[in-house]
Amino acid sequence: MRVLVLGGTRLSRQLATTLREQGIAVISSLAGRVADPLLPPGEVRIGGFGGVPGLIEWLRSHPVDAVVDATHPFAAQMSSHAHQACSVLDVPLLGLRVPSWPPGPGRAWVGSLDEAATRVAARTFLTIGSLGLPAFAARPEWFLIRSVDRPPVLPARHELVLDRGPFTVDGELRLLREHRIELLVTKDSGGPDAKLHAAAELGIPVLLIARPVLPDMPVATTVADAVRWLL
Ligand code: NAP
């Protein structure tokens, strides 16, 4: 069996590792957004396919038995392209993504980054990825911003932390206390998340950007379920 894994997430790397251990050939695909990506084991291709036609072309010249869309839940365009291309070629497609975070005290969801930008506090911790920052660029408030690479656009008053997880609850508690954070704004990425635990412990409210609507496809939430589906 040969599987294309659309990646860029921790789950996608775990899936590639597990598939290889089971002797299943896997090609992982990354968008090439970050300068120094964490690479899964095995074959990796980097860069966009060139829209739906490009992905169809790629799948024709690199036949696979299945595609697993293990991209981040906010990578809606890639998911849509995968859905369209796999439908045209009749290639089985599975989504692999962790469930959204459940409601909890101090947690509220907003529909977009623009909406979140209208609800920031005097001192807000933003962990939304560097591409989402233009929505906050004109805000006069102060921000603590954490991203993997240096963002191209930043609000005027900020402190930038270039870092990549996994993070610990103790580390997040320190960061939140040290910067006297009043609000955390993040994407509803799901999965284990130290910053949400730390915010809850300190009574700091959390604004979560709701996930975009994704195309209809079977979805696994664990690597084990994805492997079962593939087999
Ligand atoms: P997106 O908006 O859904 O996709 C934009 C374009 O980037 C796609 O049309 C495709 O280009 C290319 N692309 C995206 N993912 C790709 C992949 N795995 N392999 C090859 N090409 C890919 O995606 P995004 O939100 O910019 O995310 C880009 C990558 O970062 C994804 O791999 C995602 O898993 C990861 N990531 C995203 C977030 C987030 O918050 N969005 C967070 C963490 C990680 P073509 O049309 O040319 O094929």
Side-chain angles (χ1 to χ4, degrees):
M1 197 197 295
R2 190 172 159 82
V3 178
L4 170 65
V5 175
L6 301 170
T9 58
R10 195 175 316 155
L11 263 189
S12 68
R13 291 187 291 276
Q14 289 169 355
L15 177 64
T17 305
T18 305
L19 291 178
R20 271 172 60 84
E21 284 166 2
Q22 305 214 359
I24 296 170
V26 48
I27 306 177
S28 297
S29 175
L30 304 179
R33 288 281 183 283
V34 295
D36 180 22
L38 295 174
L39 294 176
E43 198 178 328
V44 176
R45 65 162 301 285
I46 298 183
F49 293 95
V52 177
L55 181 54
I56 289 175
E57 191 51 45
W58 190 94
L59 286 167
R60 282 203 171 115
S61 50
H62 304 78
V64 294
D65 298 291
V67 175
V68 179
D69 170 21
T71 56
H72 192 271
F74 283 76
Q77 184 168 309
M78 190 65 248
S79 297
S80 164
H81 289 182
H83 185 252
Q84 293 175 62
C86 288
S87 302
V88 169
L89 298 176
D90 210 15
V91 174
L93 171 66
L94 175 74
L96 174 60
R97 51 187 81 101
V98 286
S100 289
W101 283 307
R107 286 183 194 178
W109 273 257
V110 288
S112 68
L113 291 165
D114 287 339
E115 192 182 340
T118 65
R119 294 178 54 176
V120 294
R123 301 178 67 80
T124 298
F125 181 22
L126 284 181
T127 64
I128 52 164
S130 57
L131 296 181
L133 288 170
F136 298 84
R139 298 301 312 187
E141 294 86 356
W142 181 90
F143 296 93
L144 175 64
I145 292 165
R146 184 167 65 200
S147 67
V148 176
D149 286 326
R150 181 165 289 277
V153 179
L154 284 161
R157 298 175 57 232
H158 69 268
E159 180 167 334
L160 179 63
V161 178
L162 295 178
D163 206 352
R164 165 150 63 192
F167 302 103
T168 64
V169 176
D170 280 349
E172 300 295 62
L173 281 169
R174 243 190 332 272
L175 198 67
L176 294 172
R177 283 200 184 103
E178 195 180 305
H179 292 93
R180 292 173 285 117
I181 296 301
E182 297 166 5
L183 174 72
L184 166 64
V185 176
T186 191
K187 288 177 171 173
D188 184 358
S189 308
D193 206 318
K195 64 190 172 220
L196 293 194
H197 289 289
E201 196 169 323
L202 298 177
I204 295 171
V206 180
L207 211 49
L208 291 150
I209 316 296
R211 292 182 178 193
V213 178
L214 296 169
D216 193 26
M217 61 179 84
V219 173
T221 56
T222 64
V223 166
D225 281 348
V227 173
R228 258 192 294 279
W229 183 90
L230 286 166
L231 293 177

PDB file of all heavy atoms in Angstrom, residues 6-9 29-31 33 45 47-51 70-72 74-79 81 128 131 187, ligand 1:
ATOM      1  N   LEU A   6      -1.086  14.348   3.672  1.00  0.00           N
ATOM      2  CA  LEU A   6      -0.973  15.810   3.631  1.00  0.00           C
ATOM      3  C   LEU A   6      -0.732  16.258   5.062  1.00  0.00           C
ATOM      4  O   LEU A   6      -1.566  16.032   5.948  1.00  0.00           O
ATOM      5  CB  LEU A   6      -2.266  16.419   3.067  1.00  0.00           C
ATOM      6  CG  LEU A   6      -2.614  15.930   1.661  1.00  0.00           C
ATOM      7  CD1 LEU A   6      -4.017  16.369   1.262  1.00  0.00           C
ATOM      8  CD2 LEU A   6      -1.585  16.431   0.658  1.00  0.00           C
ATOM      9  N   GLY A   7       0.441  16.868   5.294  1.00  0.00           N
ATOM     10  CA  GLY A   7       0.901  17.007   6.673  1.00  0.00           C
ATOM     11  C   GLY A   7       1.016  18.424   7.194  1.00  0.00           C
ATOM     12  O   GLY A   7       0.210  19.288   6.884  1.00  0.00           O
ATOM     13  N   GLY A   8       2.069  18.611   7.982  1.00  0.00           N
ATOM     14  CA  GLY A   8       2.276  19.905   8.625  1.00  0.00           C
ATOM     15  C   GLY A   8       1.774  19.930  10.050  1.00  0.00           C
ATOM     16  O   GLY A   8       1.676  21.001  10.646  1.00  0.00           O
ATOM     17  N   THR A   9       1.463  18.743  10.590  1.00  0.00           N
ATOM     18  CA  THR A   9       0.950  18.664  11.960  1.00  0.00           C
ATOM     19  C   THR A   9       1.661  17.528  12.708  1.00  0.00           C
ATOM     20  O   THR A   9       2.262  16.647  12.084  1.00  0.00           O
ATOM     21  CB  THR A   9      -0.561  18.340  11.963  1.00  0.00           C
ATOM     22  OG1 THR A   9      -0.746  17.090  11.274  1.00  0.00           O
ATOM     23  CG2 THR A   9      -1.372  19.425  11.274  1.00  0.00           C
ATOM     24  N   SER A  29       3.481  15.226   2.533  1.00  0.00           N
ATOM     25  CA  SER A  29       3.540  16.477   1.789  1.00  0.00           C
ATOM     26  C   SER A  29       3.420  17.659   2.741  1.00  0.00           C
ATOM     27  O   SER A  29       2.525  17.701   3.590  1.00  0.00           O
ATOM     28  CB  SER A  29       2.391  16.519   0.775  1.00  0.00           C
ATOM     29  OG  SER A  29       2.375  17.778   0.135  1.00  0.00           O
ATOM     30  N   LEU A  30       4.355  18.604   2.592  1.00  0.00           N
ATOM     31  CA  LEU A  30       4.327  19.821   3.409  1.00  0.00           C
ATOM     32  C   LEU A  30       4.178  21.031   2.507  1.00  0.00           C
ATOM     33  O   LEU A  30       4.671  21.026   1.374  1.00  0.00           O
ATOM     34  CB  LEU A  30       5.637  19.964   4.207  1.00  0.00           C
ATOM     35  CG  LEU A  30       6.022  18.799   5.123  1.00  0.00           C
ATOM     36  CD1 LEU A  30       7.354  19.094   5.814  1.00  0.00           C
ATOM     37  CD2 LEU A  30       4.935  18.563   6.164  1.00  0.00           C
ATOM     38  N   ALA A  31       3.542  22.074   3.034  1.00  0.00           N
ATOM     39  CA  ALA A  31       3.328  23.274   2.227  1.00  0.00           C
ATOM     40  C   ALA A  31       4.621  24.065   2.043  1.00  0.00           C
ATOM     41  O   ALA A  31       4.780  24.790   1.063  1.00  0.00           O
ATOM     42  CB  ALA A  31       2.273  24.151   2.885  1.00  0.00           C
ATOM     43  N   ARG A  33       5.709  26.230   4.512  1.00  0.00           N
ATOM     44  CA  ARG A  33       5.458  27.542   5.130  1.00  0.00           C
ATOM     45  C   ARG A  33       6.567  27.971   6.093  1.00  0.00           C
ATOM     46  O   ARG A  33       6.908  29.129   6.157  1.00  0.00           O
ATOM     47  CB  ARG A  33       4.161  27.527   5.942  1.00  0.00           C
ATOM     48  CG  ARG A  33       2.918  27.492   5.145  1.00  0.00           C
ATOM     49  CD  ARG A  33       2.525  28.848   4.587  1.00  0.00           C
ATOM     50  NE  ARG A  33       1.264  28.684   3.893  1.00  0.00           N
ATOM     51  CZ  ARG A  33       1.118  28.143   2.702  1.00  0.00           C
ATOM     52  NH1 ARG A  33       2.192  27.786   2.007  1.00  0.00           N
ATOM     53  NH2 ARG A  33      -0.067  27.979   2.163  1.00  0.00           N
ATOM     54  N   ARG A  45       7.739  15.444   0.299  1.00  0.00           N
ATOM     55  CA  ARG A  45       7.757  16.443  -0.772  1.00  0.00           C
ATOM     56  C   ARG A  45       7.314  17.772  -0.154  1.00  0.00           C
ATOM     57  O   ARG A  45       6.494  17.788   0.764  1.00  0.00           O
ATOM     58  CB  ARG A  45       6.862  16.041  -1.946  1.00  0.00           C
ATOM     59  CG  ARG A  45       5.389  15.997  -1.575  1.00  0.00           C
ATOM     60  CD  ARG A  45       4.459  16.028  -2.757  1.00  0.00           C
ATOM     61  NE  ARG A  45       4.610  17.199  -3.583  1.00  0.00           N
ATOM     62  CZ  ARG A  45       4.175  18.417  -3.261  1.00  0.00           C
ATOM     63  NH1 ARG A  45       3.595  18.644  -2.080  1.00  0.00           N
ATOM     64  NH2 ARG A  45       4.325  19.431  -4.085  1.00  0.00           N
ATOM     65  N   GLY A  47       6.041  21.880  -0.798  1.00  0.00           N
ATOM     66  CA  GLY A  47       5.548  22.921  -1.707  1.00  0.00           C
ATOM     67  C   GLY A  47       4.147  22.605  -2.193  1.00  0.00           C
ATOM     68  O   GLY A  47       3.720  21.436  -2.173  1.00  0.00           O
ATOM     69  N   GLY A  48       3.431  23.667  -2.606  1.00  0.00           N
ATOM     70  CA  GLY A  48       2.068  23.487  -3.107  1.00  0.00           C
ATOM     71  C   GLY A  48       2.056  22.620  -4.358  1.00  0.00           C
ATOM     72  O   GLY A  48       3.075  22.473  -5.045  1.00  0.00           O
ATOM     73  N   PHE A  49       0.883  22.063  -4.655  1.00  0.00           N
ATOM     74  CA  PHE A  49       0.739  21.198  -5.839  1.00  0.00           C
ATOM     75  C   PHE A  49       0.368  22.030  -7.071  1.00  0.00           C
ATOM     76  O   PHE A  49       0.474  21.559  -8.194  1.00  0.00           O
ATOM     77  CB  PHE A  49      -0.361  20.158  -5.592  1.00  0.00           C
ATOM     78  CG  PHE A  49      -0.024  19.164  -4.522  1.00  0.00           C
ATOM     79  CD1 PHE A  49      -0.444  19.356  -3.213  1.00  0.00           C
ATOM     80  CD2 PHE A  49       0.732  18.036  -4.813  1.00  0.00           C
ATOM     81  CE1 PHE A  49      -0.143  18.431  -2.227  1.00  0.00           C
ATOM     82  CE2 PHE A  49       1.047  17.108  -3.827  1.00  0.00           C
ATOM     83  CZ  PHE A  49       0.601  17.313  -2.525  1.00  0.00           C
ATOM     84  N   GLY A  50      -0.141  23.241  -6.837  1.00  0.00           N
ATOM     85  CA  GLY A  50      -0.648  24.047  -7.953  1.00  0.00           C
ATOM     86  C   GLY A  50      -2.160  23.880  -8.096  1.00  0.00           C
ATOM     87  O   GLY A  50      -2.645  23.576  -9.198  1.00  0.00           O
ATOM     88  N   GLY A  51      -2.845  24.031  -6.960  1.00  0.00           N
ATOM     89  CA  GLY A  51      -4.306  23.967  -6.989  1.00  0.00           C
ATOM     90  C   GLY A  51      -4.824  22.560  -7.255  1.00  0.00           C
ATOM     91  O   GLY A  51      -4.053  21.589  -7.257  1.00  0.00           O
ATOM     92  N   ALA A  70      -4.126  15.084   6.777  1.00  0.00           N
ATOM     93  CA  ALA A  70      -3.780  15.291   8.188  1.00  0.00           C
ATOM     94  C   ALA A  70      -3.284  16.719   8.381  1.00  0.00           C
ATOM     95  O   ALA A  70      -2.473  16.989   9.255  1.00  0.00           O
ATOM     96  CB  ALA A  70      -2.718  14.287   8.613  1.00  0.00           C
ATOM     97  N   THR A  71      -3.761  17.626   7.532  1.00  0.00           N
ATOM     98  CA  THR A  71      -3.362  19.025   7.690  1.00  0.00           C
ATOM     99  C   THR A  71      -4.035  19.617   8.921  1.00  0.00           C
ATOM    100  O   THR A  71      -4.971  19.052   9.478  1.00  0.00           O
ATOM    101  CB  THR A  71      -3.759  19.873   6.458  1.00  0.00           C
ATOM    102  OG1 THR A  71      -5.166  19.739   6.254  1.00  0.00           O
ATOM    103  CG2 THR A  71      -3.006  19.449   5.216  1.00  0.00           C
ATOM    104  N   HIS A  72      -3.553  20.774   9.322  1.00  0.00           N
ATOM    105  CA  HIS A  72      -4.129  21.504  10.460  1.00  0.00           C
ATOM    106  C   HIS A  72      -5.596  21.824  10.151  1.00  0.00           C
ATOM    107  O   HIS A  72      -5.934  22.105   8.998  1.00  0.00           O
ATOM    108  CB  HIS A  72      -3.319  22.800  10.628  1.00  0.00           C
ATOM    109  CG  HIS A  72      -3.587  23.524  11.887  1.00  0.00           C
ATOM    110  ND1 HIS A  72      -4.582  24.463  11.980  1.00  0.00           N
ATOM    111  CD2 HIS A  72      -3.009  23.464  13.097  1.00  0.00           C
ATOM    112  CE1 HIS A  72      -4.591  24.955  13.202  1.00  0.00           C
ATOM    113  NE2 HIS A  72      -3.643  24.357  13.905  1.00  0.00           N
ATOM    114  N   PHE A  74      -7.206  24.321  10.316  1.00  0.00           N
ATOM    115  CA  PHE A  74      -7.426  25.633   9.690  1.00  0.00           C
ATOM    116  C   PHE A  74      -6.883  25.689   8.259  1.00  0.00           C
ATOM    117  O   PHE A  74      -7.007  26.716   7.589  1.00  0.00           O
ATOM    118  CB  PHE A  74      -6.817  26.744  10.553  1.00  0.00           C
ATOM    119  CG  PHE A  74      -7.672  27.056  11.751  1.00  0.00           C
ATOM    120  CD1 PHE A  74      -7.689  26.202  12.846  1.00  0.00           C
ATOM    121  CD2 PHE A  74      -8.496  28.166  11.773  1.00  0.00           C
ATOM    122  CE1 PHE A  74      -8.504  26.456  13.938  1.00  0.00           C
ATOM    123  CE2 PHE A  74      -9.316  28.430  12.863  1.00  0.00           C
ATOM    124  CZ  PHE A  74      -9.325  27.573  13.946  1.00  0.00           C
ATOM    125  N   ALA A  75      -6.284  24.603   7.800  1.00  0.00           N
ATOM    126  CA  ALA A  75      -5.779  24.565   6.420  1.00  0.00           C
ATOM    127  C   ALA A  75      -6.928  24.131   5.501  1.00  0.00           C
ATOM    128  O   ALA A  75      -6.882  23.076   4.851  1.00  0.00           O
ATOM    129  CB  ALA A  75      -4.579  23.618   6.322  1.00  0.00           C
ATOM    130  N   ALA A  76      -7.965  24.961   5.433  1.00  0.00           N
ATOM    131  CA  ALA A  76      -9.215  24.572   4.760  1.00  0.00           C
ATOM    132  C   ALA A  76      -9.049  24.462   3.250  1.00  0.00           C
ATOM    133  O   ALA A  76      -9.719  23.658   2.602  1.00  0.00           O
ATOM    134  CB  ALA A  76     -10.309  25.583   5.102  1.00  0.00           C
ATOM    135  N   GLN A  77      -8.170  25.274   2.700  1.00  0.00           N
ATOM    136  CA  GLN A  77      -8.019  25.236   1.240  1.00  0.00           C
ATOM    137  C   GLN A  77      -7.414  23.906   0.784  1.00  0.00           C
ATOM    138  O   GLN A  77      -7.884  23.297  -0.173  1.00  0.00           O
ATOM    139  CB  GLN A  77      -7.148  26.413   0.768  1.00  0.00           C
ATOM    140  CG  GLN A  77      -7.046  26.486  -0.735  1.00  0.00           C
ATOM    141  CD  GLN A  77      -6.446  27.804  -1.193  1.00  0.00           C
ATOM    142  OE1 GLN A  77      -6.887  28.885  -0.796  1.00  0.00           O
ATOM    143  NE2 GLN A  77      -5.431  27.724  -2.014  1.00  0.00           N
ATOM    144  N   MET A  78      -6.377  23.476   1.516  1.00  0.00           N
ATOM    145  CA  MET A  78      -5.745  22.197   1.146  1.00  0.00           C
ATOM    146  C   MET A  78      -6.755  21.061   1.289  1.00  0.00           C
ATOM    147  O   MET A  78      -6.812  20.159   0.445  1.00  0.00           O
ATOM    148  CB  MET A  78      -4.515  21.952   2.032  1.00  0.00           C
ATOM    149  CG  MET A  78      -3.665  20.789   1.590  1.00  0.00           C
ATOM    150  SD  MET A  78      -2.875  21.019  -0.022  1.00  0.00           S
ATOM    151  CE  MET A  78      -3.687  19.831  -1.048  1.00  0.00           C
ATOM    152  N   SER A  79      -7.562  21.102   2.347  1.00  0.00           N
ATOM    153  CA  SER A  79      -8.569  20.037   2.554  1.00  0.00           C
ATOM    154  C   SER A  79      -9.571  20.030   1.407  1.00  0.00           C
ATOM    155  O   SER A  79      -9.972  18.973   0.911  1.00  0.00           O
ATOM    156  CB  SER A  79      -9.301  20.246   3.885  1.00  0.00           C
ATOM    157  OG  SER A  79      -8.391  20.136   4.943  1.00  0.00           O
ATOM    158  N   HIS A  81      -9.077  21.158  -1.652  1.00  0.00           N
ATOM    159  CA  HIS A  81      -8.419  20.682  -2.875  1.00  0.00           C
ATOM    160  C   HIS A  81      -8.285  19.155  -2.863  1.00  0.00           C
ATOM    161  O   HIS A  81      -8.507  18.497  -3.880  1.00  0.00           O
ATOM    162  CB  HIS A  81      -7.027  21.309  -3.009  1.00  0.00           C
ATOM    163  CG  HIS A  81      -7.081  22.772  -3.338  1.00  0.00           C
ATOM    164  ND1 HIS A  81      -5.951  23.530  -3.538  1.00  0.00           N
ATOM    165  CD2 HIS A  81      -8.126  23.625  -3.490  1.00  0.00           C
ATOM    166  CE1 HIS A  81      -6.302  24.787  -3.811  1.00  0.00           C
ATOM    167  NE2 HIS A  81      -7.610  24.855  -3.774  1.00  0.00           N
ATOM    168  N   ILE A 128      -1.605  32.480  17.157  1.00  0.00           N
ATOM    169  CA  ILE A 128      -2.530  32.202  16.050  1.00  0.00           C
ATOM    170  C   ILE A 128      -1.779  31.899  14.756  1.00  0.00           C
ATOM    171  O   ILE A 128      -2.406  31.777  13.712  1.00  0.00           O
ATOM    172  CB  ILE A 128      -3.459  33.420  15.826  1.00  0.00           C
ATOM    173  CG1 ILE A 128      -2.626  34.691  15.682  1.00  0.00           C
ATOM    174  CG2 ILE A 128      -4.477  33.553  16.937  1.00  0.00           C
ATOM    175  CD1 ILE A 128      -3.375  35.845  15.086  1.00  0.00           C
ATOM    176  N   LEU A 131       0.644  34.103  10.011  1.00  0.00           N
ATOM    177  CA  LEU A 131      -0.150  34.619   8.891  1.00  0.00           C
ATOM    178  C   LEU A 131      -1.449  35.290   9.339  1.00  0.00           C
ATOM    179  O   LEU A 131      -2.059  36.044   8.581  1.00  0.00           O
ATOM    180  CB  LEU A 131      -0.462  33.489   7.897  1.00  0.00           C
ATOM    181  CG  LEU A 131       0.764  32.890   7.208  1.00  0.00           C
ATOM    182  CD1 LEU A 131       0.357  31.799   6.226  1.00  0.00           C
ATOM    183  CD2 LEU A 131       1.566  33.972   6.485  1.00  0.00           C
ATOM    184  N   LYS A 187      -6.164  29.616  18.086  1.00  0.00           N
ATOM    185  CA  LYS A 187      -7.063  28.885  17.193  1.00  0.00           C
ATOM    186  C   LYS A 187      -7.544  27.615  17.887  1.00  0.00           C
ATOM    187  O   LYS A 187      -6.786  27.020  18.659  1.00  0.00           O
ATOM    188  CB  LYS A 187      -6.320  28.503  15.908  1.00  0.00           C
ATOM    189  CG  LYS A 187      -6.045  29.679  14.998  1.00  0.00           C
ATOM    190  CD  LYS A 187      -5.239  29.208  13.801  1.00  0.00           C
ATOM    191  CE  LYS A 187      -5.137  30.303  12.753  1.00  0.00           C
ATOM    192  NZ  LYS A 187      -4.220  29.932  11.659  1.00  0.00           N
TER     193      LYS A 187
HETATM  194  P1  NAP B   1      -4.200  26.296   3.210  1.00  0.00           P
HETATM  195  O1  NAP B   1      -4.559  27.729   3.351  1.00  0.00           O
HETATM  196  O2  NAP B   1      -5.287  25.294   3.369  1.00  0.00           O
HETATM  197  O3  NAP B   1      -3.498  26.005   1.824  1.00  0.00           O
HETATM  198  C1  NAP B   1      -3.003  27.002   0.959  1.00  0.00           C
HETATM  199  C2  NAP B   1      -2.190  26.327  -0.095  1.00  0.00           C
HETATM  200  O4  NAP B   1      -0.960  25.849   0.473  1.00  0.00           O
HETATM  201  C3  NAP B   1      -2.835  25.089  -0.691  1.00  0.00           C
HETATM  202  O5  NAP B   1      -3.774  25.425  -1.690  1.00  0.00           O
HETATM  203  C4  NAP B   1      -1.629  24.340  -1.212  1.00  0.00           C
HETATM  204  O6  NAP B   1      -1.114  24.981  -2.379  1.00  0.00           O
HETATM  205  C5  NAP B   1      -0.600  24.596  -0.129  1.00  0.00           C
HETATM  206  N1  NAP B   1      -0.603  23.565   0.904  1.00  0.00           N
HETATM  207  C6  NAP B   1      -1.208  23.593   2.124  1.00  0.00           C
HETATM  208  N2  NAP B   1      -0.930  22.494   2.815  1.00  0.00           N
HETATM  209  C7  NAP B   1      -0.147  21.727   2.027  1.00  0.00           C
HETATM  210  C8  NAP B   1       0.471  20.475   2.180  1.00  0.00           C
HETATM  211  N3  NAP B   1       0.372  19.755   3.313  1.00  0.00           N
HETATM  212  N4  NAP B   1       1.214  19.994   1.133  1.00  0.00           N
HETATM  213  C9  NAP B   1       1.346  20.715  -0.005  1.00  0.00           C
HETATM  214  N5  NAP B   1       0.787  21.928  -0.214  1.00  0.00           N
HETATM  215  C10 NAP B   1       0.063  22.420   0.796  1.00  0.00           C
HETATM  216  O7  NAP B   1      -3.010  25.924   4.231  1.00  0.00           O
HETATM  217  P2  NAP B   1      -2.362  26.776   5.430  1.00  0.00           P
HETATM  218  O8  NAP B   1      -3.422  27.075   6.428  1.00  0.00           O
HETATM  219  O9  NAP B   1      -1.550  27.876   4.820  1.00  0.00           O
HETATM  220  O10 NAP B   1      -1.397  25.694   6.050  1.00  0.00           O
HETATM  221  C11 NAP B   1      -0.203  25.331   5.386  1.00  0.00           C
HETATM  222  C12 NAP B   1       0.449  24.162   6.111  1.00  0.00           C
HETATM  223  O11 NAP B   1       0.727  24.523   7.453  1.00  0.00           O
HETATM  224  C13 NAP B   1      -0.416  22.913   6.144  1.00  0.00           C
HETATM  225  O12 NAP B   1       0.426  21.828   5.857  1.00  0.00           O
HETATM  226  C14 NAP B   1      -0.927  22.853   7.564  1.00  0.00           C
HETATM  227  O13 NAP B   1      -1.115  21.535   8.008  1.00  0.00           O
HETATM  228  C15 NAP B   1       0.174  23.575   8.342  1.00  0.00           C
HETATM  229  N6  NAP B   1      -0.316  24.311   9.524  1.00  0.00           N
HETATM  230  C16 NAP B   1      -1.289  25.250   9.356  1.00  0.00           C
HETATM  231  C17 NAP B   1      -1.747  25.919  10.469  1.00  0.00           C
HETATM  232  C18 NAP B   1      -2.856  26.946  10.362  1.00  0.00           C
HETATM  233  O14 NAP B   1      -3.234  27.528  11.393  1.00  0.00           O
HETATM  234  N7  NAP B   1      -3.402  27.202   9.170  1.00  0.00           N
HETATM  235  C19 NAP B   1      -1.205  25.644  11.735  1.00  0.00           C
HETATM  236  C20 NAP B   1      -0.208  24.676  11.854  1.00  0.00           C
HETATM  237  C21 NAP B   1       0.240  24.019  10.731  1.00  0.00           C
HETATM  238  P3  NAP B   1      -1.509  24.511  -3.845  1.00  0.00           P
HETATM  239  O15 NAP B   1      -2.896  25.045  -4.083  1.00  0.00           O
HETATM  240  O16 NAP B   1      -0.468  25.133  -4.715  1.00  0.00           O
HETATM  241  O17 NAP B   1      -1.481  23.016  -3.873  1.00  0.00           O
END
